[in-house]
Amino acid sequence: MDFFDLDLLTIITAYLFLSYGQTAAGTFAFGQGFLIDIFSGGLHGLFSFICIAVFGAIFLSCRFFDLQTPKGQVIIVSLAVLFKKILFLFVLVLFPPKVAFTGSFLWISGASAIITGLLATVIFYLFDRLGAISLEDARNALTK
């Protein structure tokens, strides 16, 4: 099941960055990290830090790749997911509760990053279509 780990938070953060800008994406990333921290029993601030770091990875990746193209979406989201997984492992190794990690972690993380990156273009398209449908509904409601 770890192989098919779809990271929707990273996809949504990238979509918000593309559609609504840096402020919306950063606020969403911090808010989601904060909520995960509240409802998890782990280190306080861990997920807020990781979600903001993912936002930073998306922000920096946009300097080199175009988030408006499907190829750029795949690359940026894949890099952000891979960065998130490696950063999470690195932070957990630094703190006292030691984590046993296997060699397959990198393969699973890479596969998860690729799958999430490939599905990001589909999810971006679905979000765009949902936005267009709701915009059409709003216009039709105003003209009636």
Side-chain angles (χ1 to χ4, degrees):
M1 193 63 182
D2 288 336
F3 184 74
F4 297 109
D5 182 23
L6 181 65
D7 193 351
L8 285 174
L9 290 179
T10 303
I11 294 173
I12 294 171
T13 303
Y15 181 78
L16 288 173
F17 187 86
L18 173 66
S19 299
Y20 299 101
Q22 300 170 6
T23 305
T27 303
F28 174 79
F30 178 74
Q32 286 302 310
F34 186 70
L35 285 174
I36 294 170
D37 281 334
I38 288 173
F39 292 112
S40 73
L43 297 170
H44 298 294
L46 172 66
F47 291 102
S48 296
F49 169 70
I50 288 176
C51 288
I52 290 296
V54 167
F55 166 73
I58 292 169
F59 178 76
L60 290 176
S61 297
C62 285
R63 302 283 183 193
F64 302 105
F65 302 104
D66 187 13
L67 190 57
Q68 295 179 351
T69 64
K71 180 181 174 183
Q73 293 168 1
V74 170
I75 292 170
I76 290 171
V77 170
S78 295
L79 287 174
V81 170
L82 192 59
F83 177 71
K84 178 181 182 178
K85 299 238 181 228
I86 291 172
L87 182 65
F88 183 70
L89 178 71
F90 182 70
V91 169
L92 288 182
V93 167
L94 285 178
F95 289 100
K98 296 297 179 191
V99 176
F101 112 92
T102 63
S104 64
F105 172 78
L106 291 176
W107 291 108
I108 292 171
S109 296
S112 174
I114 291 170
I115 289 169
T116 302
L118 291 173
L119 289 176
T121 57
V122 174
I123 294 172
F124 276 36
Y125 174 76
L126 290 175
F127 285 161
D128 285 340
R129 293 299 302 155
L130 287 173
I133 290 170
S134 65
L135 185 61
E136 289 174 9
D137 289 342
R139 286 183 185 154
N140 290 337
L142 288 176
T143 58
K144 289 183 180 181

